[in-house]
Amino acid sequence: MGRYIIRRLLQMIPVFIGATLIIFLMVYALGDPITALFGDRQPDPATARALRAEFNLDKPLWQQYLLYMGKIFTGDFGTAFNGQPVTDLMRHAFPISLRLAIIALVLEMVIGIALGVITGLRRGRSIDTTVLVLTLVVIAVPTFVLGTTAQYFFGVQLGWVDPAVSPEAPFGELLLPGLILCLVSLAYVTRLTRTSVGENVRSDYIRTAVAKGLPRRRITVRHLLRNSLIPVVTYLGADLGALMAGAIVTERIFNIQGVGYQLFQGILRQNSPTVVGFVVVLVLIFLLANLLVDLLYAVLDPRIRYA
Amino acid sequence: MRGSTHLTPALACVAALALTVTACGGGGGDSSGGGDGVVRASWGDPQHSLEPANTNEVQGGKVLDMIFRGLKRYDPDTGEAKNAMAESIDTDDQQTFTIKIKDGWKFSDGTPVTAQSYVDAWNYGAHIDNAQVSSYFFQYIDGYDEVHPSDEDAQATADTLSGLEVVDDHTFRVRLSQPFSLWPETLGYAAYSPLPQSFFDDHDAWLDKPIGNGPYAIDSYQRSQSMKLVKNKHYGGSDKPKNEGVELRVYTDNNTAYTDLQAGNLDLVDDIPASQLGNAEKDLGDRYINQPAGIIQTVSFPMYDENWQGENGRLLRQGLSMAINREEITSRLYHDTRTPATDFTSPVLGESGGYEKGLCGETCEYDPDRAKELIEQAGGLPGGKVTITSNVDTGSHRQWMDAVCNSINNALDASNACTVNPVATFADFRNRVQDHRMTGMFRTGWQMDYPLIQNFLQPLYYTNGSSNDSGYSSQEFDDLVDSANSASSEEEAVDQFQDAERIIAEDLPAIPLWYQNGTAGHSERVHNVKLNAFSVPVFTDITVD
């Protein structure tokens, strides 16, 4: 187990370097960001040169990358164009997005798995069809539409919540955005659980458990659910990273100043320190979440061994 | 068949859900935030750090307008430059100006504003080492070339501008490198604000919480989130705030700000999102503001490309201009928040300031038949087609470009004569414009720095002007601008600028499309909301119930 974790952690290094290099190249390929800082005016060459020097943009790409990576290991993620250190942006944005992602993840786990088990056990009944249709609607309608509609009804018409989340973004205010954010994943979790439960419910060990006269509740939770959850956990693990990075739309709608917003600003202003910095942290979250998922397999199914 | 029987309850469920949601609708939001007299307004994240000479966009400019007062201030109603901190600005030769400032003004930290505060601030803004994006505002002052050489690799050979001289605590003298009669009128721009000593002593601390001499002082500032402003108790000007303060909230999307306004959580949105323009009047009634701003939208031609040169090029440009149905586009697409342009300036200048309706003549009027004639006379479009290029990441440029192209195609009876060439990002678009890589029409919007006809002409059309993107050059135009700048009276200057403008209308390196309005909406809680000529709200005048 220990060796497995170490090997997995070592594997992260090339993934990490590759991912940052690709992001760096992509931002660089967008062209020179300094001209845009002058608006519709021709940049003054001397000022433009000073700014390029300040952000290392006057050096060859490989050198920029090495300088950047060198600084990252000392915890310096560079400076955004508005003069703010990127670490400051992160310190504020990541906790907010993490809160949002946790709310979304918990909601999709609890609601998604519950709905999945119910529909899986009652396949073909009316509740199953209803849920299937609803999940189809959620998957088909873009998040943007769901978000703005919910915002208008609950925020403006009913006045239950504020349409915009305050800068501090406490848990309570993030409930609605979290629900909107997780809806699509929730639909997938429901369908994934439903299929998995539907298959396992016909398996031999369930028939044995029923024949032994075990209580229904125990069969469902200990036998059926445990075996049905492996594909779901795989999905949820990958989803944590996706929720944090994919919150751009939701965060825009509800005015949440999290990771999605900062990434969006960074891309719009072609600020490579911001974009690369945030993506670096996102890559780390992705990798760790996947490691966690792989370790969870053994808990769910002891037959899985690590070597 | 089984499926259909089971689908019915599902649909019923969806319908029931929809019904409950709509049935409860119309309750109206609770208007939170009681009568503390603070105006809650929408804001965008400033692009640069908040320094007077390093701010060239509206969001940062909005704050500078609240926390600074310079020598002049543009009247919120007329746009006229009036003395603010200046007691007098005198000159005999339009080149050396003696500036006296009023006594008794203080920064919000209590330190007095002196002539030195101005001279230090201007020297800082001009110096190359400080890399301020607006340092060109000091280019007319003598010695600018020494502190800010234009050559890319050159180093500054002086630390301060030789044209600035402090006479006493309340007087300083400015010598320009050339006569410029309208120069005092430019001094209302934020780049010319004075700076307190604390700016130079601890720059980082100052940037965290800027200190100025304006009607408001910053109480707290969380970057990219919000800023709370309170009355500056040391303010020496006459336009003291009529409210208790302003809270600026950063919105990631102005649609959300608009929704928040509707829900009663926000008092002022100063940029109605394009998608809501059609509803704004119905939603807000007389709380919707739509008034002219100092912005003109144009499309320019690459005058460096031989296809657009000579007499044929001129006919082509005129023909294209006459093929654009400005009336229809401004009313249908923009819900009358744009006005078809008939000159190269803006209505906010007023007639005395140099705006002249119809100066462009029939060239800017829609006449598809004549357009076709002119283009045929020129031998057709180069290669049979033309493109319009712009970035499409912001400002919904794609829509109007499509509309303009449609209009041209209809006029020419050719479905592919005009096509849109979208560029993904603003930076990429500006790089292409800078490098003279355009082959057809491209977007060139202009938002004025100060309400002067000079600002609408010289930077854009003077040979090698700071925003002369088309590469246009005319000796006759340059001479008229030079002569207007050294004119002894304002009227004379304006007249000569208009003569110069007529040359532009004749040569047509750019076609005027429309003047842009400022739009805003406010809640029932606040009154006396208006926008100034820069379409920035006049916060000091706003009263709160």
Side-chain angles (χ1 to χ4, degrees):
Chain A
M1 182 93 162
R3 282 180 64 179
Y4 175 78
I5 294 177
I6 290 170
R7 213 170 62 208
R8 281 291 304 264
L9 288 174
L10 284 177
Q11 278 172 4
M12 284 185 189
I13 296 170
V15 177
F16 182 75
I17 293 174
T20 47
L21 183 63
I22 289 169
I23 296 296
F24 212 87
L25 288 173
M26 273 159 48
V27 178
Y28 185 83
L30 286 173
D32 178 12
I34 296 297
T35 339
L37 292 181
F38 293 84
D40 282 323
R41 196 177 285 276
Q42 287 183 14
D44 158 49
T47 311
R49 194 188 66 104
L51 286 170
R52 280 195 190 99
E54 190 183 332
F55 295 105
N56 282 329
L57 292 165
D58 54 346
K59 301 188 174 64
L61 182 60
W62 63 269
Q63 210 178 338
Q64 286 183 37
Y65 180 71
L66 287 184
L67 279 171
Y68 183 80
M69 291 305 279
K71 278 200 278 180
I72 276 191
F73 288 110
T74 63
D76 177 5
F77 280 82
T79 318
F81 288 140
N82 67 2
Q84 219 175 350
V86 174
T87 40
D88 274 8
L89 296 178
M90 289 184 187
R91 200 171 300 133
H92 187 76
F94 271 103
I96 292 180
S97 284
L98 200 63
R99 272 204 293 275
L100 185 65
I102 287 172
I103 290 173
L105 203 65
V106 169
L107 285 177
E108 74 178 72
M109 236 155 61
V110 175
I111 305 178
I113 293 175
L115 283 178
V117 171
I118 294 168
T119 52
L121 291 175
R122 290 179 175 69
R123 295 187 88 162
R125 308 258 195 89
S126 61
I127 180 142
D128 180 33
T129 326
T130 313
V131 171
L132 273 186
V133 169
L134 281 178
T135 54
L136 202 65
V137 170
V138 164
I139 293 170
V141 179
T143 310
F144 169 74
V145 177
L146 288 173
T148 41
T149 313
Q151 183 187 39
Y152 186 75
F153 276 123
F154 297 114
V156 180
Q157 291 294 331
L158 299 174
W160 291 354
V161 292
D162 286 348
V165 173
S166 63
E168 295 76 31
F171 263 107
E173 290 182 20
L174 290 175
L175 277 177
L176 181 64
L179 182 68
I180 297 294
L181 176 61
C182 82
L183 272 181
V184 174
S185 300
L186 193 153
Y188 282 118
V189 169
T190 305
R191 291 178 154 237
L192 216 54
T193 314
R194 174 181 174 273
T195 314
S196 198
V197 165
E199 270 167 23
N200 285 333
V201 84
R202 283 189 294 260
S203 57
D204 292 343
Y205 66 87
I206 296 290
R207 203 177 305 140
T208 312
V210 175
K212 277 199 297 184
L214 283 178
R216 197 182 150 81
R217 193 184 164 76
R218 193 177 160 83
I219 298 172
T220 314
V221 176
R222 294 297 295 272
H223 294 80
L224 180 62
L225 199 55
R226 190 166 166 171
N227 280 289
S228 306
L229 276 187
I230 287 185
V232 181
V233 166
T234 314
Y235 180 81
L236 288 173
D239 207 41
L240 174 68
L243 285 175
M244 292 203 68
I248 292 187
V249 176
T250 318
E251 290 191 356
R252 249 184 95 96
I253 294 171
F254 292 97
N255 197 39
I256 303 168
Q257 276 121 4
V259 173
Y261 169 62
Q262 294 295 352
L263 261 179
F264 180 74
Q265 289 282 316
I267 293 168
L268 209 63
R269 293 178 183 170
Q270 279 190 22
N271 196 340
S272 36
T274 314
V275 181
V276 183
F278 274 82
V279 173
V280 162
V281 178
L282 284 177
V283 167
L284 284 178
I285 293 176
F286 254 107
L287 292 173
L288 289 175
N290 272 315
L291 177 61
L292 196 69
V293 166
D294 287 354
L295 295 178
L296 267 180
Y297 284 166
V299 180
L300 289 169
D301 187 351
R303 285 173 302 180
I304 297 175
R305 292 270 176 274
Y306 300 109
Chain B
M1 241 28 243
R2 243 188 90 192
S4 68
T5 49
H6 284 113
L7 208 64
T8 331
L11 283 176
C13 181
V14 174
L17 192 74
L19 272 174
T20 44
V21 169
T22 41
C24 315
D30 68 321
S31 41
S32 56
D36 52 357
V38 174
V39 182
R40 301 161 302 173
S42 71
W43 193 33
D45 202 7
Q47 199 164 1
H48 309 273
S49 48
L50 283 173
E51 296 171 88
N54 204 22
T55 299
N56 60 352
E57 37 77 50
V58 175
Q59 301 303 341
K62 194 189 286 179
V63 176
L64 294 183
D65 187 51
M66 296 163 89
I67 63 168
F68 280 107
R69 272 295 171 271
L71 296 165
K72 293 261 186 183
R73 181 181 184 226
Y74 301 112
D75 187 286
D77 296 315
T78 61
E80 191 190 340
K82 290 185 172 160
N83 282 348
M85 262 205 78
E87 181 79 50
S88 64
I89 302 176
D90 299 318
T91 181
D92 298 324
D93 56 356
Q94 327 296 333
Q95 193 167 358
T96 307
F97 295 85
T98 306
I99 299 171
K100 280 195 164 56
I101 60 172
K102 286 177 184 159
D103 214 358
W105 280 59
K106 283 179 177 165
F107 289 105
S108 57
D109 62 356
T111 55
V113 188
T114 62
Q116 194 69 45
S117 317
Y118 277 96
V119 171
D120 287 346
W122 294 9
N123 277 326
Y124 181 88
H127 203 281
I128 176 72
D129 289 353
N130 301 323
Q132 305 276 293
V133 294
S134 295
S135 52
Y136 61 88
F137 274 98
F138 305 100
Q139 64 185 331
Y140 299 106
I141 300 173
D142 215 11
Y144 182 75
D145 290 345
E146 278 85 58
V147 299
H148 196 118
S150 56
D151 221 21
E152 216 175 302
D153 306 315
Q155 297 286 325
T157 53
D159 286 335
T160 53
L161 291 158
S162 59
L164 291 180
E165 183 200 348
V166 176
V167 179
D168 60 43
D169 262 4
H170 293 97
T171 318
F172 66 108
R173 209 170 280 141
V174 183
R175 193 177 63 254
L176 305 184
S177 51
Q178 53 181 297
F180 186 0
S181 56
L182 296 181
W183 183 74
E185 319 267 303
T186 69
L187 294 175
Y189 193 78
Y192 297 110
S193 303
L195 287 169
Q197 189 54 39
S198 57
F199 178 88
F200 304 98
D201 292 343
D202 190 347
H203 192 222
D204 287 339
W206 192 91
L207 287 182
D208 283 339
K209 196 174 164 183
I211 293 165
N213 64 333
Y216 290 98
I218 295 174
D219 185 41
S220 69
Y221 177 25
Q222 270 101 38
R223 287 205 201 181
S224 69
Q225 291 172 46
S226 69
M227 179 185 271
K228 290 194 174 75
L229 297 122
V230 292
K231 285 181 177 179
N232 173 10
K233 57 180 188 287
H234 296 291
Y235 184 52
S238 55
D239 58 326
K240 292 196 166 60
K242 293 177 179 143
N243 45 56
E244 289 308 308
V246 177
E247 185 190 345
L248 296 174
R249 298 182 183 167
V250 171
Y251 279 87
T252 53
D253 184 345
N254 56 0
N255 278 296
T256 311
Y258 188 80
T259 312
D260 236 1
L261 177 74
Q262 287 181 304
N265 295 321
L266 191 69
D267 295 320
L268 176 61
V269 174
D270 61 2
D271 181 21
I272 305 282
S275 54
Q276 302 287 357
L277 284 176
N279 314 325
E281 202 155 0
K282 195 176 72 216
D283 288 351
L284 301 169
D286 58 357
R287 292 181 286 122
Y288 169 57
I289 297 169
N290 174 20
Q291 66 177 62
I295 307 171
I296 183 169
Q297 298 290 346
T298 52
V299 283
S300 291
F301 294 93
M303 302 297 281
Y304 43 81
D305 185 318
E306 60 179 21
N307 284 323
W308 299 100
Q309 290 165 358
E311 182 57 22
N312 278 349
R314 204 166 61 87
L315 290 175
L316 279 178
R317 294 193 291 276
Q318 287 177 343
L320 286 169
S321 175
M322 295 172 92
I324 300 169
N325 192 342
R326 297 170 176 79
E327 292 282 348
E328 190 174 278
I329 297 172
T330 48
S331 66
R332 290 235 188 125
L333 199 61
Y334 287 118
H335 303 280
D336 294 318
T337 57
R338 308 281 191 278
T339 312
T342 56
D343 81 342
F344 290 83
T345 64
S346 161
V348 295
L349 293 183
E351 284 189 16
S352 61
Y355 166 67
E356 188 180 325
K357 199 177 176 183
L359 182 138
C360 179
E362 61 179 13
T363 318
C364 294
E365 278 163 28
Y366 179 55
D367 186 347
D369 298 332
R370 181 90 182 110
K372 201 174 175 187
E373 246 173 65
L374 284 169
I375 290 172
E376 271 165 14
Q377 202 183 328
L381 294 168
K385 49 180 182 266
V386 65
T387 53
I388 306 182
T389 308
S390 166
N391 59 308
V392 288
D393 51 347
T394 53
S396 53
H397 293 310
R398 180 94 208 204
Q399 284 93 315
W400 71 256
M401 291 201 292
D402 281 334
V404 165
C405 262
N406 269 332
S407 183
I408 292 173
N409 288 339
N410 289 340
L412 299 183
D413 290 329
S415 59
N416 279 321
C418 176
T419 48
V420 166
N421 176 21
V423 178
T425 65
F426 180 64
D428 192 14
F429 172 62
R430 287 306 299 172
N431 281 325
R432 293 188 199 195
V433 172
Q434 292 307 322
D435 300 347
H436 283 191
R437 276 192 275 154
M438 293 295 151
T439 54
M441 298 186 271
F442 56 97
R443 178 184 71 85
T444 40
W446 183 251
Q447 172 153 30
M448 65 178 187
D449 299 318
Y450 26 80
L452 282 187
I453 183 170
Q454 179 267 352
N455 192 242
F456 281 94
L457 298 176
Q458 191 167 4
L460 284 90
Y461 306 110
Y462 196 84
T463 305
N464 296 324
S466 62
S467 294
N468 187 342
D469 291 332
S470 65
Y472 174 73
S473 171
S474 157
Q475 190 61 47
E476 207 185 341
F477 175 83
D478 294 358
D479 289 346
L480 275 166
V481 167
D482 288 340
S483 136
N485 275 331
S486 51
S488 52
S489 79
E490 195 182 328
E491 271 169 58
E492 199 185 325
V494 166
D495 277 348
Q496 294 195 16
F497 272 119
Q498 284 186 329
D499 287 341
E501 193 185 343
R502 287 192 183 89
I503 294 172
I504 300 297
E506 188 64 29
D507 286 349
L508 220 61
I511 1 183
L513 293 176
W514 36 78
Y515 312 116
Q516 189 166 326
N517 285 10
T519 53
H522 63 89
S523 70
E524 282 160 2
R525 213 177 138 243
V526 294
H527 305 281
N528 299 322
V529 180
K530 63 181 172 211
L531 302 175
N532 65 15
F534 303 90
S535 69
V536 169
V538 185
F539 283 102
T540 47
D541 281 357
I542 299 176
T543 53
V544 185
D545 273 349

